[in-house]
Amino acid sequence: ALKTFWGEEIYRTPPGQTEIERRRQIVHAPYHAKLLELLQAKIARFGRAVLIDAHSVASRASLLHGALTDDIFLGDRDGRSNSGWLTEVADAAFRAQGFRVARNRPYKGGYITDHYGKRDMVEALQIEMCERVYMDEQDPVGALQHPRFLPAKQQIRSVMLAVCEEAARRRDGWPGAPGA
């Protein structure tokens, strides 16, 4: 990408093809090699892996969408990156914490959710959280000290615990799970 979500140029002089390939080799390739290694290790140990690709996003309108009114955006590639339980549990857990949740709009899940969610034994979900949930979007420097930061951290922890508990409950029923 050569522009931000708001249409601002990222580079004064865009990188050439050689520089783009160099960056792929030193950043993109090692990142994805490590991610695949970690997923394979979890699959070997547990029979399946759950991949959460989590991001935060500014709520103001961008070239991709209008102003975001929901708090949490779950993307499972329209139900193709996991078998359904992961999206359901995350949705219910976020709602139980008082968040407004949207599914697959405007974010369906990006490359990681799509690519790894197609793999056997991987359940993948992208979670986008509006920055306003945990900070003042107009003053991001003080995010860790913002009064919403610690409560949001606890809420997210509760959601992830619900996901982990459900994954553990389902573990024995997964194909290839120890003892299955």
Side-chain angles (χ1 to χ4, degrees), residues 15-29:
Q17 200 57 41
T18 302
E19 177 60 13
I20 291 170
E21 186 54 35
R22 185 186 78 79
R23 291 177 188 185
R24 275 193 188 114
Q25 293 307 312
I26 65 170
V27 178
H28 186 269

Side-chain angles (χ1 to χ4, degrees), residues 44-115:
R45 182 170 177 193
F46 300 109
R48 272 187 118 50
V50 173
L51 172 62
I52 303 288
D53 185 20
H55 308 263
S56 64
V57 61
S59 60
R60 65 185 167 125
S62 75
L63 297 175
L64 300 176
H65 53 72
L68 299 174
T69 56
D70 291 310
D71 303 311
I72 305 293
F73 302 87
L74 303 178
D76 63 8
R77 306 299 291 178
D78 292 320
R80 295 187 309 272
S81 69
N82 70 65
S83 61
W85 73 265
L86 179 55
T87 305
E88 291 293 329
V89 170
D91 187 317
F94 275 117
R95 288 178 193 279
Q97 292 297 318
F99 292 112
R100 294 172 304 223
V101 181
R103 289 192 194 184
N104 294 306
R105 63 174 175 74
Y107 304 106
K108 292 184 181 290
Y111 176 81
I112 289 174
T113 307
D114 184 43
H115 180 74

Side-chain angles (χ1 to χ4, degrees), residues 126-137:
Q126 179 174 305
I127 301 172
E128 291 280 354
M129 172 183 283
C130 275
E131 292 170 346
R132 69 169 175 272
V133 166
Y134 64 91
M135 66 182 235
D136 177 353
E137 291 181 288

